[in-house]
Amino acid sequence: MSKNFGSNNFGSKKKAKPKSEEESNQKLPQWMEKRFPETRQMTLDLKRIFVFLTGTSGALLIAIGLLFLMGVNFQSTLIYALSFWLLALIIISIFFTYRNLSGLTLRAVQASPCFAGEKAVFELEVSCPKQQKKSAICIGWKNQDVATVNLHDNHTIHIKLSHSTKHRGRFKPEKLSIFTSYPLGLIKGWSYALLNMNSIVYPAPLLQESEDKGDSLDEEADQGMEIPRGTTDFSGIRDYQAGDSPRHIHWGAYAKTGKVQTKTFVDYASHDLWLDWDALSISGTEIKLSHLCAKVLQYHQEQQVYGLNIPGRTIQPASGEAHRNTCLTALALFGEGDHSDAQTQVSTDGIGS
């Protein structure tokens, strides 16, 4: 029994080891999430700023070490003084680099929608206390736009950063990097902000050859259906009938022929254009969305009154910029289960919805 007990105990230790490794791997992200929570506004402080040596300062430390050894060997006070002065320069740079980032505040302002494949533009407000000045602070995303910020006379400025997109839907950029090597380039101060902001990415507009019924029929009937006994457009002349308005009697024809005739008029009931998902003869969800997106842009440019009917959402016919954005947003969020009008203005929780 002792052998079995020993073997079982050994096996249990083996199984417990991976669990401890998983827990240690989860500690770092949890620690980072506490220091850098997702928020609309963030101010850099002692807990959020990291300071590193640059390659220049690393080479300088090696040179300081060699100088110190030379000073020991030759007992030279001047070499001692030079090595200690260079070391003090690095230490002082740590303080000034940290101070250059400390107190910096970033706030998400708004995000502009774009089409898939284009760049979404995000507007940020960067500020610092009035008694401070900030120089050469870089803000941006990796492999994307980076803006250099200087806060001297103005303690609050607005910057715009763009980020490339690939797919339609809600686009949420990754964490924003903030770094500086001010003042001497010997020390690099670094931090990042996970701002609560997102942009709406519309489908890429691409017209397809489609024999959609609802669309083509409405385009042929530009004036719409005729409504008899109207008052707008002249239609013709007919014999007088009891009850006709005296204002519509053709007095010129009566003077020539002696026969009473009446002018007829018609009105036209407008045919609203409908972009109907089920009427499209093309296949593929993304292809349909791209086609409908292109048609929305076309009808908007032509100042047409049009409606949109897609699975899960029907938008009544209208026109104008707001209607265009509503239709494009519905196409962008198709399949997400939330077709509410997603504004790209700042809400209480961040940019977008």
Side-chain angles (χ1 to χ4, degrees):
M1 290 184 64
S2 61
K3 290 183 178 180
N4 293 334
F5 177 79
S7 61
N8 291 337
N9 193 23
F10 179 76
S12 63
K13 287 183 179 179
K14 271 192 170 181
K15 293 179 181 178
K17 191 174 180 180
K19 290 183 180 180
S20 61
E21 290 179 356
E22 291 179 1
E23 290 176 358
S24 62
N25 292 334
Q26 292 176 357
K27 284 182 181 179
L28 182 60
Q30 290 176 358
W31 174 77
M32 294 294 286
E33 286 179 3
K34 289 181 180 179
R35 290 202 173 189
F36 300 94
E38 184 175 351
T39 179
R40 180 185 163 210
Q41 178 174 313
M42 190 196 74
T43 300
L44 301 185
D45 54 18
L46 181 62
K47 295 181 179 180
R48 297 189 175 115
I49 298 175
F50 303 93
V51 177
F52 302 96
L53 296 175
T54 63
T56 304
S57 58
L60 187 58
L61 283 175
I62 296 175
I64 291 172
L66 294 176
L67 284 173
F68 183 79
L69 292 177
M70 290 176 60
V72 172
N73 187 32
F74 295 103
Q75 292 296 315
S76 173
T77 306
L78 183 61
I79 296 178
Y80 279 139
L82 179 60
S83 60
F84 288 135
W85 180 80
L86 292 175
L87 183 61
L89 193 64
I90 295 176
I91 296 173
I92 292 173
S93 295
I94 294 175
F95 170 75
F96 278 99
T97 302
Y98 165 79
R99 188 175 180 273
N100 193 43
L101 284 180
S102 179
L104 189 74
T105 300
L106 281 79
R107 185 175 69 89
V109 179
Q110 67 178 5
S112 301
C114 67
F115 295 94
E118 298 180 350
K119 288 193 172 184
V121 179
F122 298 89
E123 183 176 351
L124 306 176
E125 180 185 273
V126 185
S127 61
C128 70
K130 292 184 178 179
Q131 65 273 17
Q132 295 184 6
K133 292 184 178 181
K134 307 296 181 183
S135 302
I137 297 177
C138 299
I139 303 173
W141 294 287
K142 186 178 180 180
N143 301 325
Q144 301 291 335
D145 285 353
V146 176
T148 302
V149 174
N150 295 284
L151 299 174
H152 295 161
D153 298 330
N154 296 326
H155 296 279
T156 300
I157 63 172
H158 285 236
I159 62 173
K160 290 185 177 181
L161 299 173
S162 62
H163 197 294
S164 58
T165 62
K166 293 182 179 180
H167 309 289
R168 66 171 180 88
R170 299 181 192 271
F171 174 72
K172 186 176 184 62
E174 64 270 18
K175 57 183 179 294
L176 196 66
S177 296
I178 309 157
F179 56 93
T180 182
S181 296
Y182 180 86
L184 300 177
L186 298 177
I187 302 297
K188 183 175 182 179
W190 172 85
S191 183
Y192 76 81
L194 189 59
L195 297 180
N196 185 4
M197 56 184 180
N198 64 77
S199 177
I200 302 299
V201 181
Y202 304 141
L206 184 61
L207 277 176
Q208 304 289 331
E209 294 183 1
S210 173
E211 299 177 357
D212 44 298
K213 299 178 181 179
D215 191 330
S216 60
L217 288 176
D218 284 338
E219 286 181 343
E220 293 174 2
D222 290 334
Q223 288 183 315
M225 296 176 55
E226 288 188 3
I227 302 177
R229 297 183 179 275
T231 58
T232 305
D233 295 331
F234 177 74
S235 177
I237 299 174
R238 60 170 173 78
D239 293 338
Y240 176 80
Q241 296 178 1
D244 287 345
S245 173
R247 292 182 302 173
H248 292 169
I249 295 177
H250 197 324
W251 296 107
Y254 175 75
K256 291 180 180 180
T257 63
K259 186 177 180 180
V260 181
Q261 293 180 316
T262 302
K263 301 176 185 177
T264 59
F265 297 85
V266 296
D267 289 333
Y268 289 94
S270 62
H271 276 270
D272 295 329
L273 298 174
W274 275 97
L275 297 172
D276 193 349
W277 177 279
D278 295 327
L280 295 176
S281 60
I282 55 181
S283 59
T285 300
E286 297 302 325
I287 296 178
K288 282 187 175 182
L289 292 173
S290 295
H291 176 76
L292 291 174
C293 179
K295 297 297 288 186
V296 168
L297 296 178
Q298 175 186 334
Y299 289 160
H300 174 73
Q301 186 176 7
E302 296 173 355
Q303 298 182 352
Q304 298 276 9
V305 176
Y306 60 93
L308 177 66
N309 183 25
I310 58 177
R313 183 80 188 273
T314 299
I315 301 174
Q316 295 300 320
S319 61
E321 190 73 23
H323 180 65
R324 166 190 174 273
N325 294 339
T326 301
C327 293
L328 292 177
T329 300
L331 295 174
L333 303 182
F334 177 80
E336 289 191 5
D338 180 13
H339 296 284
S340 59
D341 296 342
Q343 300 295 331
T344 55
Q345 300 298 324
V346 176
S347 64
T348 55
D349 298 326
I351 296 182
S353 58

